[in-house]
Amino acid sequence: MAPTAPHETPAFVDIHCHLLPGIDDGSRSWEESLAMAQQMVDDGTDTVTVTPHQLGNYTATTGQTIRHRTHQLQQWLNANGVQLQVLPGADVRIDSDMIDRLRSGDCLSLADRRRHVLLELPHELYQPLEPVLEQLDRIGMVGILSHPERNRGIMRQPQVIESLVRAGCLMQVTADSFVGEFGNEPEQLGRYIVENGWCHFLATDAHGSKKRPPRLRRAFELAEQLVGRPLAEAMCCDNPRAVAEGRDIDALPAVRTNSNSGWLQQAAGFLFGRRAA
């Protein structure tokens, strides 16, 4: 990739998107996937890891199915002139046979690199993840927790975020949560995670071309305002590209010291004060 000019935004990479048609609750058709892919390109994204649900309610979705349909989707986009690289992956519900299926390759790591795994908790509760992180480490994989800001259990105890990050868990905040599309609490918690320097990825978690479309630029621009350009690029460009290429991510840049500390204090008071009430 050619180096960008000093003020030119690098291309975005999305590590969480339900772009494959007819496989889960995401895109319903090849035409909708085509529309979503064009939206991503228009928004500045050049690479996406598709992440259909696996395990939980989607135990029958196999790794080979995802790989095959990803290949078909790439051919479909190429034939229609949409310049988007599509890589296989999965949004993996934490389940009793997850480690065995990851080890066999039936559950997919992101970009199928056998390095990073997108982990999904049940939306209504939090369960300790340290044992899961240790199991992943033993098979050479790193966990990325998807949309912690929308998990009801974490909303009740947001202090677990810092301890999970210290335990080696990477965090992926949903772009639409960050800009307020999912309501006040996910917005507050998402910004709290980002402004503390605990967010490694902003991603779309897009599910359609009209409802929950794939938008990263708004979140990138807000992150640039709140925490500075280096961290915004790390979350939207550098870190997700490292994952797509199977590389370790670098340490996060420091949060810009002149960021909106008033917002951060307000969010902390809202989250922790409300839980203690």
Side-chain angles (χ1 to χ4, degrees), residues 22 45 59 78 80-81 88 90-91 94 106 122 132 138 157 171 180 197 226 240 248 253 264 271:
T45 297
T59 56
N78 293 346
N80 284 276
D91 189 12
I94 298 169
D106 188 46
V132 174
R138 285 198 289 270
Q157 46 179 338
M171 295 289 159
L226 294 179
D248 290 342
L264 182 60
L271 291 164

Side-chain angles (χ1 to χ4, degrees), residues 87-162:
L87 303 171
D91 189 12
V92 183
R93 176 61 64 91
I94 298 169
D95 210 337
S96 58
D97 62 347
M98 182 186 75
I99 296 297
D100 287 341
R101 290 183 64 172
L102 283 168
R103 187 184 287 113
S104 72
D106 188 46
C107 273
L108 286 192
S109 58
L110 291 175
D112 208 12
R113 300 287 190 181
R114 304 185 69 83
R115 182 59 183 150
H116 298 91
V117 182
L118 191 64
L119 301 173
E120 184 184 40
L121 284 164
H123 286 279
E124 67 278 2
L125 59 87
Y126 172 74
Q127 62 190 59
L129 292 180
E130 286 81 0
V132 174
L133 298 174
E134 292 173 4
Q135 289 177 305
L136 288 172
D137 184 61
R138 285 198 289 270
I139 61 172
M141 297 189 187
V142 177
I144 300 173
L145 183 59
S146 65
H147 46 68
E149 81 288 349
R150 287 158 47 204
N151 178 274
R152 304 302 301 181
I154 293 177
M155 287 180 186
R156 291 189 288 269
Q157 46 179 338
Q159 65 273 15
V160 302
I161 294 291
E162 182 177 9

Side-chain angles (χ1 to χ4, degrees), residues 13 15 110 116 118 143-145 170-175 194 198-203 216 234-236 238-243 249 252:
V13 178
I15 65 162
L110 291 175
H116 298 91
L118 191 64
I144 300 173
L145 183 59
L170 307 180
M171 295 289 159
Q172 175 261 299
V173 169
T174 305
V194 169
W198 297 329
C199 177
H200 304 84
F201 310 92
L202 288 169
L216 265 179
M235 293 185 292
C236 296
D238 303 335
N239 290 348
R241 193 169 299 280
V243 167
I249 71 167
L252 286 172

